[in-house]
Amino acid sequence: MTETMRAVAYRRSLPVSDPGSLEDVELPVPTPGPRDLLVRVEAVSVNPVDTKVRKGDDPGGTPKVLGWDAAGVVTAVGSEVTLFEVGDEVYYAGSITRPGSNSRYHAVDERIVGHKPRTLGFAEAAALPLTTITAWETLFDRFRLDAGSTGTLLVLGAAGGVGSMVVQLARALTGLTVIGTASRPESREWVLGLGAHEIADHHDLVASVRAVAPRGVDYVFSPKTDGQIEAYAELLRPGGHITAIDEPEGLELLPLKSKSIAFHWELMFTRSLYEADDMIAQHELLEKVAELIDAGTLRTTLTTELAPIEAATLRKAHEMLESGRTIGKVVITGF
């Protein structure tokens, strides 16, 4: 008899207010492939990609499991696994081409998994992987920054999941001056607490950034790029850089040309999507981040913890993200 497990899935693209938008289901426990770990999931977190896929990728009635961020315990390993053993506590962001982590057991390639920070619980660790990988790749793969880098970085949406990690990593591992955008008192306090030097308001971006950086900025992290290119062109110095993580339709980049401004895309799923030769780089960066967490250099971005991992709870978490007002990360724990 096939062993089954509890999971949360969706069958049709429906508004989150519809009880059918996410359902409790029973599915077979996955069999790990040669490089896979089988993880008993203890905590997951939600990201904008969860709501984006749920609303835009209709599975036509077949249960599809969402969720990428997870923390848990390795219960089995594939025949070619070398980085982990049964019993290891891990955290990771998974692959967009495979079933998601909103399930009791989850199979994931060891090359995109890190050992969970020793000083964090499962909930605190589950908040980190997807946003941390996105932030790390933005700073060190796209902008090619290092410990000696200087200049000014503008972080849009600095109180969000990715923005919170961009701010922390830039302060900890570069010499950049960091400006974060935040408009509400609670989000301003959060961003300053993460280490931002200055706060700007995205509602009047050019004027508020100029007020704290009269000479402009060198780098822009952009989670919502539509309608912002002319503002970025105004604020960036010649030879500046933008990294975007969204998918604005019909994006017009010509305003960037006169200043020779470089535009980069960042998708943290790229390495696993194409099984890139350097796929293991995500394992390595998660290991480094765990060291920084345990040393007290970085901290978790968990702000809201819900329980248990079931459809009703995940619908609530999706609704919170869709409001656009969340600070940090929403995590769900326990089956």
Side-chain angles (χ1 to χ4, degrees), residues 7-24:
V8 178
Y10 76 110
R11 301 174 191 270
R12 299 285 183 189
S13 293
L14 297 168
V16 72
S17 58
D18 191 315
S21 61
L22 290 167
E23 304 176 32
D24 294 307

Side-chain angles (χ1 to χ4, degrees), residues 22-321:
L22 290 167
E23 304 176 32
D24 294 307
V25 297
E26 284 282 329
L27 296 174
V29 173
T31 300
R35 295 297 302 270
D36 284 349
L37 312 175
L38 183 65
V39 177
R40 186 182 71 242
V41 174
E42 301 296 340
V44 298
S45 77
V46 290
N47 294 281
V49 65
D50 295 67
T51 65
K52 188 180 301 182
V53 173
R54 194 202 82 244
K55 292 187 289 186
D57 182 14
D58 195 317
T62 301
K64 181 181 176 68
V65 179
L66 298 172
W68 286 276
D69 276 331
V73 179
V74 177
T75 61
V77 298
S79 59
E80 298 177 16
V81 166
T82 61
L83 303 173
F84 298 90
E85 298 177 349
V86 171
D88 284 351
E89 297 182 347
V90 296
Y91 74 139
Y92 59 90
S95 167
I96 201 156
T97 63
R98 303 183 67 175
S101 60
N102 294 339
S103 55
R104 190 61 175 116
Y105 292 93
H106 188 232
V108 60
D109 191 300
E110 66 167 346
R111 290 169 290 180
I112 56 174
V113 177
H115 289 88
K116 180 179 73 65
R118 296 186 308 277
T119 55
L120 297 186
F122 289 112
E124 296 169 310
L128 292 169
L130 187 148
T131 55
T132 298
I133 294 169
T134 303
W136 185 287
E137 291 181 351
T138 292
L139 294 171
F140 307 116
D141 294 350
R142 309 295 164 245
F143 291 153
R144 298 190 178 280
L145 301 171
D146 57 32
S149 297
T150 58
T152 302
L153 166 67
L154 174 61
V155 182
L156 277 294
V162 181
S164 294
M165 292 310 302
V166 174
V167 171
Q168 288 194 78
L169 288 169
R171 283 304 315 272
L173 301 178
T174 79
L176 296 176
T177 297
V178 179
I179 302 171
T181 68
S183 57
R184 291 174 290 147
E186 58 268 35
S187 56
R188 293 171 65 90
E189 181 180 358
W190 172 261
V191 175
L192 288 171
L194 295 173
H197 294 92
E198 303 285 354
I199 299 293
D201 189 336
H202 67 274
H203 293 297
D204 190 4
L205 186 65
V206 172
S208 62
V209 172
R210 285 290 185 193
V212 296
R215 297 183 59 246
V217 303
D218 302 283
Y219 305 94
V220 171
F221 166 73
S222 180
K224 293 183 180 179
T225 311
D226 189 35
Q228 297 281 25
I229 293 300
E230 290 189 0
Y232 296 165
E234 168 70 20
L235 289 169
L236 278 158
R237 295 171 183 160
H241 296 259
I242 302 165
T243 291
I245 62 171
D246 57 340
E247 307 88 30
E249 292 186 12
L251 188 64
E252 176 54 69
L253 299 178
L254 195 57
L256 307 177
K257 184 178 181 181
S258 68
K259 287 185 177 178
S260 299
I261 294 167
F263 188 92
H264 310 269
W265 295 112
E266 163 57 21
L267 177 67
M268 60 80 45
F269 293 119
T270 295
R271 282 185 162 115
S272 58
L273 186 61
Y274 294 96
E275 292 197 24
D277 291 342
D278 66 344
M279 187 166 155
I280 200 168
Q282 292 192 343
H283 162 75
E284 293 167 348
L285 78 84
L286 288 172
E287 296 286 278
K288 176 62 175 177
V289 167
E291 294 176 8
L292 293 167
I293 291 281
D294 289 337
T297 305
L298 302 175
R299 63 181 175 90
T300 183
T301 53
L302 166 63
T303 53
T304 303
E305 183 176 340
L306 306 175
I309 302 172
E310 64 181 18
T313 316
L314 277 156
R315 286 197 298 271
K316 180 178 180 180
H318 279 227
E319 187 174 21
M320 293 174 67
L321 256 69

